[in-house]
Amino acid sequence: MKQIPYWLDTTPAFPDRTGKPLPEQADLVVIGGGLTGLSTAYHAARKGAHVVLVEKDKVGSGASGRNGSMCTQGITIGVGEAR
């Protein structure tokens, strides 16, 4: 059984940006390329902000890329019962 999520296993290789200098100025610096960081950077950029995203590994390689993206907000019953 593979331990790598399908979406990470089938994604083309990311460009190596190790050591690339950061811009001198930014309106917003987002640390972490998980779900929250990417969403923050994306929405700020859409509003016109100059955004720099800093990630120590690959985008989505941490918990955001490995979970089922479920938010139950306290529901502790099974799917069948919820339906």
Side-chain angles (χ1 to χ4, degrees):
M1 182 168 135
K2 284 188 170 188
Q3 298 296 316
I4 300 170
Y6 175 78
W7 47 87
L8 291 177
D9 192 32
T10 58
T11 300
F14 292 99
D16 183 6
R17 292 194 170 104
T18 305
K20 182 179 177 183
L22 295 173
E24 291 290 323
Q25 295 183 354
D27 297 318
L28 175 67
V29 176
V30 178
I31 301 173
L35 182 63
T36 303
L38 288 173
S39 179
T40 301
Y42 172 78
H43 288 286
R46 292 233 11 208
K47 296 278 187 182
H50 178 229
V51 180
V52 174
L53 180 102
V54 180
E55 169 57 51
K56 73 172 184 158
D57 200 6
K58 294 179 182 173
V59 170
S61 65
S64 291
R66 299 187 185 323
N67 68 47
S69 298
M70 293 172 267
C71 181
T72 61
Q73 297 187 9
I75 297 175
T76 57
I77 58 176
V79 174
E81 191 177 345
R83 275 191 264 160

Coordinates of all heavy atoms in Angstrom, one line a residue:
M1 N 0.8 -1.2 0.0 CA 0.0 0.0 0.0 C 0.9 1.2 0.0 O 1.8 1.4 0.8 CB -0.9 0.0 1.2 CG -1.8 1.1 1.3 SD -3.1 0.9 2.6 CE -3.1 2.5 3.3
K2 N 0.6 2.2 -0.9 CA 1.4 3.4 -1.0 C 1.0 4.3 0.2 O -0.2 4.4 0.6 CB 1.1 4.1 -2.3 CG 1.7 3.6 -3.5 CD 1.5 4.5 -4.7 CE 2.4 4.0 -5.8 NZ 2.4 5.0 -6.9
Q3 N 2.0 5.0 0.7 CA 1.8 5.9 1.8 C 1.8 7.4 1.3 O 1.7 8.3 2.1 CB 2.9 5.8 2.8 CG 3.0 4.4 3.5 CD 1.7 4.1 4.3 OE1 1.2 5.0 5.0 NE2 1.2 3.0 4.1
I4 N 1.9 7.6 0.0 CA 1.9 8.9 -0.6 C 0.5 9.2 -1.2 O 0.0 8.3 -2.0 CB 2.9 9.0 -1.7 CG1 4.3 8.8 -1.1 CG2 2.8 10.4 -2.4 CD1 5.4 8.7 -2.2
P5 N -0.2 10.3 -0.8 CA -1.5 10.6 -1.4 C -1.4 10.6 -2.9 O -0.5 11.1 -3.5 CB -1.9 11.9 -0.8 CG -1.0 12.1 0.4 CD 0.2 11.3 0.1
Y6 N -2.5 10.2 -3.6 CA -2.6 10.2 -5.0 C -2.2 11.5 -5.7 O -1.5 11.6 -6.6 CB -4.0 9.7 -5.5 CG -4.2 9.8 -7.0 CD1 -3.7 8.8 -7.8 CD2 -4.9 10.9 -7.5 CE1 -3.9 8.9 -9.2 CE2 -5.1 10.9 -8.9 CZ -4.6 9.9 -9.7 OH -4.7 10.0 -11.1
W7 N -2.8 12.6 -5.1 CA -2.6 13.9 -5.7 C -1.1 14.4 -5.6 O -0.7 15.2 -6.4 CB -3.5 15.0 -5.1 CG -3.6 14.9 -3.6 CD1 -2.8 15.6 -2.7 CD2 -4.5 14.2 -2.8 NE1 -3.2 15.3 -1.4 CE2 -4.2 14.4 -1.4 CE3 -5.6 13.3 -3.1 CZ2 -4.9 13.9 -0.4 CZ3 -6.3 12.8 -2.1 CH2 -6.0 13.0 -0.7
L8 N -0.4 13.9 -4.6 CA 1.0 14.2 -4.5 C 1.9 13.3 -5.4 O 2.9 13.7 -6.0 CB 1.5 14.2 -3.1 CG 1.0 15.2 -2.1 CD1 1.5 15.0 -0.7 CD2 1.4 16.6 -2.6
D9 N 1.4 12.1 -5.5 CA 2.1 11.1 -6.3 C 2.0 11.3 -7.8 O 2.9 11.0 -8.6 CB 1.6 9.7 -6.0 CG 2.4 8.5 -6.5 OD1 3.7 8.7 -6.6 OD2 1.9 7.5 -6.8
T10 N 1.0 11.9 -8.2 CA 0.7 12.1 -9.7 C 1.0 13.6 -10.1 O 0.8 13.8 -11.3 CB -0.7 11.7 -10.0 OG1 -1.6 12.5 -9.3 CG2 -0.9 10.2 -9.8
T11 N 1.3 14.4 -9.2 CA 1.6 15.8 -9.6 C 3.0 15.9 -10.2 O 3.9 15.3 -9.8 CB 1.6 16.7 -8.3 OG1 0.3 16.6 -7.7 CG2 1.9 18.1 -8.6
P12 N 3.1 16.7 -11.3 CA 4.5 16.9 -11.9 C 5.4 17.5 -10.8 O 5.0 18.1 -9.8 CB 4.2 18.0 -13.0 CG 2.8 17.9 -13.3 CD 2.1 17.5 -12.0
A13 N 6.7 17.3 -11.0 CA 7.7 17.7 -10.1 C 7.6 19.2 -9.9 O 7.5 20.0 -10.9 CB 9.1 17.3 -10.5
F14 N 7.8 19.7 -8.7 CA 7.8 21.1 -8.4 C 9.2 21.7 -8.8 O 10.2 21.0 -8.6 CB 7.6 21.4 -6.9 CG 6.2 21.1 -6.4 CD1 5.9 19.9 -5.8 CD2 5.1 22.0 -6.7 CE1 4.6 19.6 -5.4 CE2 3.9 21.7 -6.2 CZ 3.6 20.5 -5.6
P15 N 9.3 22.9 -9.3 CA 10.6 23.5 -9.5 C 11.4 23.6 -8.2 O 10.8 23.9 -7.2 CB 10.3 24.8 -10.2 CG 8.9 25.1 -9.9 CD 8.2 23.8 -9.6
D16 N 12.7 23.4 -8.3 CA 13.5 23.6 -7.1 C 13.8 25.1 -6.9 O 14.5 25.7 -7.7 CB 14.8 22.8 -7.2 CG 15.7 22.9 -6.0 OD1 15.2 23.5 -4.9 OD2 16.8 22.4 -6.0
R17 N 13.2 25.6 -5.8 CA 13.5 27.0 -5.5 C 14.3 27.2 -4.3 O 14.3 28.3 -3.7 CB 12.1 27.8 -5.4 CG 11.4 27.8 -6.7 CD 10.2 28.8 -6.7 NE 9.7 29.0 -8.0 CZ 8.6 28.5 -8.4 NH1 7.8 27.7 -7.7 NH2 8.1 28.7 -9.7
T18 N 15.0 26.2 -3.9 CA 15.8 26.2 -2.7 C 16.9 27.3 -2.9 O 17.6 27.4 -3.9 CB 16.6 24.9 -2.5 OG1 15.6 23.9 -2.4 CG2 17.4 24.9 -1.2
G19 N 17.0 28.2 -1.9 CA 18.0 29.2 -2.0 C 17.6 30.4 -2.8 O 18.4 31.4 -2.9
K20 N 16.5 30.4 -3.4 CA 16.0 31.6 -4.2 C 15.8 32.8 -3.3 O 15.2 32.6 -2.3 CB 14.7 31.2 -4.9 CG 14.3 32.4 -5.8 CD 13.0 32.0 -6.6 CE 12.5 33.2 -7.4 NZ 11.3 32.9 -8.1
P21 N 16.4 33.9 -3.6 CA 16.2 35.1 -2.7 C 14.8 35.5 -2.7 O 14.1 35.4 -3.7 CB 17.1 36.1 -3.4 CG 17.4 35.7 -4.8 CD 17.2 34.2 -4.8
L22 N 14.4 36.0 -1.5 CA 13.0 36.5 -1.4 C 13.0 37.9 -1.9 O 14.0 38.6 -1.8 CB 12.6 36.4 0.1 CG 12.5 35.0 0.7 CD1 12.3 35.1 2.2 CD2 11.4 34.2 0.0
P23 N 11.8 38.4 -2.3 CA 11.7 39.7 -2.8 C 12.0 40.7 -1.6 O 11.8 40.4 -0.4 CB 10.2 39.8 -3.2 CG 9.7 38.5 -3.4 CD 10.6 37.6 -2.5
E24 N 12.4 41.9 -2.0 CA 12.7 42.9 -1.0 C 11.4 43.4 -0.3 O 11.5 43.8 0.9 CB 13.4 44.1 -1.6 CG 14.8 43.8 -2.1 CD 15.8 43.6 -0.9 OE1 15.7 44.3 0.1 OE2 16.7 42.7 -1.1
Q25 N 10.3 43.4 -1.0 CA 9.1 43.9 -0.5 C 7.9 43.0 -0.8 O 7.9 42.3 -1.8 CB 8.8 45.3 -1.0 CG 9.7 46.4 -0.6 CD 9.3 47.7 -1.2 OE1 8.4 47.9 -1.9 NE2 10.0 48.8 -0.8
A26 N 6.9 43.0 0.1 CA 5.7 42.3 -0.1 C 4.6 42.9 0.8 O 4.9 43.5 1.8 CB 5.9 40.8 0.3
D27 N 3.4 42.8 0.3 CA 2.3 43.3 1.1 C 2.0 42.2 2.2 O 1.5 42.6 3.3 CB 1.0 43.5 0.2 CG 1.2 44.6 -0.8 OD1 1.8 45.6 -0.5 OD2 0.8 44.4 -1.9
L28 N 2.2 41.0 1.8 CA 1.9 39.9 2.8 C 2.8 38.7 2.6 O 3.1 38.4 1.4 CB 0.4 39.4 2.5 CG -0.1 38.2 3.2 CD1 -0.2 38.5 4.7 CD2 -1.4 37.6 2.6
V29 N 3.4 38.2 3.7 CA 4.2 37.0 3.6 C 3.5 35.9 4.4 O 3.1 36.1 5.5 CB 5.6 37.3 4.3 CG1 6.4 36.0 4.3 CG2 6.4 38.4 3.6
V30 N 3.2 34.8 3.7 CA 2.5 33.7 4.2 C 3.5 32.6 4.5 O 4.2 32.2 3.6 CB 1.4 33.2 3.3 CG1 0.7 32.0 3.9 CG2 0.4 34.3 3.0
I31 N 3.6 32.1 5.7 CA 4.5 31.0 6.0 C 3.7 29.7 6.1 O 2.8 29.6 7.0 CB 5.2 31.3 7.4 CG1 6.0 32.6 7.2 CG2 6.1 30.2 7.7 CD1 6.6 33.1 8.5
G32 N 4.0 28.8 5.2 CA 3.3 27.5 5.2 C 2.4 27.4 4.0 O 1.5 28.2 3.8
G33 N 2.7 26.4 3.1 CA 1.9 26.1 1.9 C 0.9 25.0 2.1 O 0.7 24.2 1.2
G34 N 0.2 25.0 3.2 CA -0.9 24.1 3.4 C -2.2 24.7 3.0 O -2.2 25.7 2.3
L35 N -3.3 24.1 3.4 CA -4.6 24.6 2.9 C -4.9 26.0 3.4 O -5.2 26.8 2.5 CB -5.7 23.6 3.5 CG -7.1 24.0 3.1 CD1 -7.3 23.8 1.6 CD2 -8.1 23.1 3.9
T36 N -4.6 26.3 4.6 CA -4.8 27.7 5.1 C -3.9 28.7 4.5 O -4.3 29.8 4.0 CB -4.7 27.7 6.6 OG1 -5.6 26.8 7.2 CG2 -5.0 29.1 7.2
G37 N -2.6 28.4 4.4 CA -1.6 29.3 3.8 C -1.9 29.5 2.3 O -1.9 30.7 1.9
L38 N -2.2 28.5 1.6 CA -2.5 28.6 0.1 C -3.7 29.5 -0.1 O -3.8 30.3 -1.0 CB -2.6 27.3 -0.5 CG -1.3 26.5 -0.7 CD1 -1.6 25.1 -1.3 CD2 -0.4 27.2 -1.6
S39 N -4.8 29.2 0.7 CA -6.0 29.9 0.6 C -5.8 31.4 0.9 O -6.3 32.3 0.2 CB -7.1 29.3 1.5 OG -8.3 30.1 1.4
T40 N -5.1 31.7 1.9 CA -4.8 33.1 2.3 C -4.0 33.8 1.2 O -4.4 34.9 0.8 CB -4.0 33.1 3.6 OG1 -4.7 32.5 4.7 CG2 -3.6 34.5 4.0
A41 N -3.0 33.1 0.7 CA -2.1 33.7 -0.3 C -3.0 34.0 -1.6 O -2.9 35.0 -2.2 CB -0.9 32.8 -0.6
Y42 N -3.8 33.0 -2.0 CA -4.6 33.1 -3.2 C -5.6 34.2 -3.1 O -5.7 35.0 -4.0 CB -5.3 31.7 -3.4 CG -6.3 31.8 -4.5 CD1 -6.0 31.7 -5.8 CD2 -7.7 31.9 -4.2 CE1 -6.9 31.7 -6.8 CE2 -8.6 31.9 -5.2 CZ -8.2 31.8 -6.5 OH -9.2 31.8 -7.5
H43 N -6.3 34.3 -2.0 CA -7.3 35.3 -1.9 C -6.8 36.7 -1.8 O -7.3 37.7 -2.3 CB -8.3 35.0 -0.7 CG -9.2 33.8 -1.0 ND1 -10.3 33.9 -1.9 CD2 -9.2 32.5 -0.6 CE1 -10.9 32.8 -2.0 NE2 -10.2 31.9 -1.2
A44 N -5.6 36.8 -1.1 CA -5.0 38.1 -1.0 C -4.4 38.6 -2.3 O -4.6 39.7 -2.7 CB -3.8 38.1 0.0
A45 N -3.9 37.6 -3.1 CA -3.4 38.0 -4.4 C -4.5 38.4 -5.4 O -4.4 39.3 -6.2 CB -2.6 36.8 -5.0
R46 N -5.6 37.7 -5.3 CA -6.8 38.0 -6.1 C -7.3 39.4 -5.8 O -7.9 40.1 -6.6 CB -7.9 37.0 -5.9 CG -7.6 35.7 -6.4 CD -8.5 35.0 -7.3 NE -9.6 35.8 -7.9 CZ -10.8 35.3 -8.3 NH1 -11.0 34.0 -8.1 NH2 -11.7 36.1 -8.8
K47 N -7.1 39.9 -4.6 CA -7.5 41.3 -4.2 C -6.4 42.3 -4.6 O -6.5 43.5 -4.3 CB -7.7 41.4 -2.7 CG -8.9 40.5 -2.2 CD -10.2 41.2 -2.5 CE -11.3 40.4 -1.8 NZ -12.6 41.1 -2.1
G48 N -5.3 41.8 -5.2 CA -4.3 42.8 -5.6 C -3.0 42.9 -4.8 O -2.1 43.6 -5.1
A49 N -2.9 42.1 -3.7 CA -1.8 42.1 -2.8 C -0.6 41.4 -3.5 O -0.7 40.4 -4.2 CB -2.1 41.5 -1.5
H50 N 0.6 42.0 -3.2 CA 1.8 41.3 -3.7 C 2.2 40.3 -2.5 O 2.6 40.7 -1.5 CB 3.0 42.3 -3.9 CG 4.3 41.7 -4.3 ND1 5.4 42.0 -3.7 CD2 4.5 40.7 -5.2 CE1 6.4 41.2 -4.2 NE2 5.9 40.5 -5.1
V51 N 2.0 39.0 -2.8 CA 2.1 38.0 -1.8 C 3.4 37.1 -2.0 O 3.7 36.8 -3.2 CB 0.9 37.1 -1.8 CG1 1.0 36.0 -0.8 CG2 -0.4 37.9 -1.6
V52 N 4.1 36.8 -0.9 CA 5.2 35.9 -0.9 C 4.8 34.7 -0.1 O 4.4 34.9 1.1 CB 6.5 36.5 -0.4 CG1 7.6 35.5 -0.3 CG2 6.9 37.7 -1.3
L53 N 4.8 33.5 -0.6 CA 4.5 32.3 0.2 C 5.8 31.5 0.4 O 6.6 31.3 -0.5 CB 3.5 31.4 -0.6 CG 3.2 30.1 0.1 CD1 1.8 30.3 0.7 CD2 3.2 28.9 -0.8
V54 N 6.1 31.2 1.7 CA 7.3 30.5 2.1 C 6.9 29.1 2.6 O 6.0 29.0 3.5 CB 8.0 31.3 3.2 CG1 9.3 30.6 3.6 CG2 8.4 32.7 2.7
E55 N 7.5 28.1 2.0 CA 7.2 26.7 2.5 C 8.5 25.9 2.6 O 9.3 26.0 1.7 CB 6.2 26.0 1.4 CG 6.1 24.5 1.6 CD 5.6 24.1 2.9 OE1 4.5 24.6 3.4 OE2 6.2 23.2 3.5
K56 N 8.7 25.2 3.7 CA 10.0 24.5 3.9 C 10.1 23.2 3.0 O 11.2 22.7 2.8 CB 10.2 24.2 5.3 CG 9.4 23.1 5.9 CD 9.8 22.8 7.3 CE 9.0 21.6 7.7 NZ 9.6 20.8 8.8
D57 N 9.0 22.7 2.6 CA 9.0 21.4 1.9 C 8.2 21.7 0.6 O 8.4 22.7 0.0 CB 8.4 20.3 2.7 CG 8.7 18.9 2.3 OD1 9.6 18.8 1.4 OD2 8.2 18.0 2.8
K58 N 7.4 20.7 0.2 CA 6.6 20.9 -1.0 C 5.2 21.4 -0.6 O 4.7 21.0 0.5 CB 6.4 19.5 -1.7 CG 7.7 19.0 -2.3 CD 7.5 17.7 -3.0 CE 8.8 17.2 -3.5 NZ 8.7 15.8 -4.0
V59 N 4.6 22.2 -1.4 CA 3.3 22.7 -1.2 C 2.3 21.5 -1.0 O 2.3 20.5 -1.8 CB 2.8 23.6 -2.3 CG1 1.3 23.9 -2.2 CG2 3.6 24.8 -2.4
G60 N 1.5 21.5 0.1 CA 0.6 20.5 0.4 C 1.2 19.2 0.9 O 0.5 18.2 0.9
S61 N 2.4 19.2 1.3 CA 3.1 17.9 1.6 C 2.8 17.6 3.1 O 3.2 16.4 3.5 CB 4.6 18.0 1.3 OG 5.2 18.9 2.2
G62 N 2.3 18.5 3.9 CA 2.1 18.2 5.3 C 0.7 17.6 5.5 O 0.1 16.9 4.7
A63 N 0.1 18.0 6.7 CA -1.2 17.4 7.1 C -2.3 17.8 6.1 O -3.2 17.0 5.8 CB -1.5 18.0 8.5
S64 N -2.2 19.0 5.5 CA -3.2 19.4 4.5 C -3.3 18.5 3.3 O -4.4 18.3 2.7 CB -3.0 20.8 4.0 OG -3.2 21.8 5.1
G65 N -2.2 17.9 2.9 CA -2.2 17.1 1.8 C -2.4 15.6 2.1 O -2.5 14.8 1.2
R66 N -2.6 15.3 3.4 CA -2.7 13.9 3.8 C -4.0 13.6 4.5 O -4.3 12.4 4.9 CB -1.6 13.5 4.7 CG -0.2 13.7 4.1 CD 0.8 13.1 5.0 NE 2.2 13.3 4.6 CZ 2.7 13.2 3.4 NH1 2.0 13.0 2.3 NH2 4.0 13.3 3.2
N67 N -4.9 14.5 4.7 CA -6.2 14.2 5.4 C -7.3 14.1 4.4 O -7.2 14.4 3.2 CB -6.4 15.3 6.4 CG -6.8 16.6 5.9 OD1 -7.6 16.8 5.0 ND2 -6.2 17.7 6.4
G68 N -8.5 13.7 4.9 CA -9.6 13.6 4.1 C -10.4 14.9 4.0 O -11.5 14.9 3.4
S69 N -9.9 16.0 4.5 CA -10.6 17.3 4.4 C -12.0 17.3 5.0 O -12.9 17.8 4.4 CB -10.5 17.8 3.0 OG -9.2 18.0 2.6
M70 N -12.1 16.6 6.1 CA -13.5 16.5 6.7 C -13.6 17.4 7.9 O -12.7 17.6 8.6 CB -13.7 15.1 7.2 CG -13.8 14.1 6.0 SD -13.9 12.4 6.6 CE -12.2 12.0 6.6
C71 N -14.7 18.1 7.9 CA -15.0 19.0 9.0 C -16.3 18.6 9.6 O -17.4 18.8 8.9 CB -15.0 20.4 8.6 SG -15.3 21.6 9.9
T72 N -16.4 18.0 10.7 CA -17.6 17.5 11.3 C -18.3 18.4 12.2 O -19.5 18.3 12.5 CB -17.4 16.2 12.0 OG1 -16.5 16.4 13.1 CG2 -16.8 15.1 11.0
Q73 N -17.6 19.4 12.8 CA -18.2 20.3 13.7 C -19.0 19.6 14.8 O -20.1 20.0 15.2 CB -19.0 21.4 13.0 CG -18.3 22.2 12.1 CD -19.1 23.3 11.5 OE1 -20.2 23.6 11.9 NE2 -18.5 24.0 10.5
G74 N -18.4 18.6 15.4 CA -18.9 17.9 16.5 C -19.9 16.8 16.2 O -20.5 16.2 17.2
I75 N -20.2 16.5 15.0 CA -21.1 15.4 14.7 C -20.4 14.1 15.1 O -19.3 13.8 14.6 CB -21.4 15.3 13.2 CG1 -22.2 16.6 12.8 CG2 -22.3 14.1 12.9 CD1 -22.5 16.7 11.4
T76 N -21.0 13.3 16.0 CA -20.3 12.1 16.4 C -21.2 10.9 16.1 O -21.2 9.8 16.7 CB -20.1 12.1 17.9 OG1 -21.4 12.3 18.6 CG2 -19.1 13.2 18.3
I77 N -22.0 11.0 15.0 CA -22.8 9.9 14.6 C -22.3 9.4 13.2 O -21.5 10.1 12.5 CB -24.3 10.3 14.4 CG1 -24.4 11.4 13.4 CG2 -24.9 10.6 15.8 CD1 -25.9 11.8 13.2
G78 N -22.6 8.2 12.8 CA -22.2 7.6 11.6 C -22.8 8.2 10.4 O -23.8 8.9 10.5
V79 N -22.2 8.0 9.2 CA -22.8 8.6 8.0 C -24.2 8.1 7.7 O -25.1 8.9 7.4 CB -21.9 8.2 6.8 CG1 -22.4 8.6 5.5 CG2 -20.5 8.7 7.0
G80 N -24.5 6.8 7.9 CA -25.8 6.3 7.7 C -26.9 7.0 8.6 O -27.9 7.4 8.1
E81 N -26.5 7.2 9.8 CA -27.5 7.9 10.7 C -27.6 9.3 10.4 O -28.7 9.9 10.5 CB -27.0 7.7 12.2 CG -28.0 8.2 13.2 CD -27.5 7.9 14.6 OE1 -26.6 7.2 14.8 OE2 -28.1 8.5 15.5
A82 N -26.5 10.0 9.9 CA -26.6 11.4 9.6 C -27.5 11.6 8.3 O -28.2 12.6 8.2 CB -25.2 11.9 9.3
R83 N -27.4 10.6 7.4 CA -28.3 10.8 6.2 C -29.7 10.7 6.6 O -30.6 11.3 6.1 CB -28.0 9.6 5.2 CG -26.9 10.0 4.3 CD -26.8 9.0 3.2 NE -25.8 8.1 3.6 CZ -25.6 6.8 3.1 NH1 -26.4 6.4 2.2 NH2 -24.7 6.0 3.6

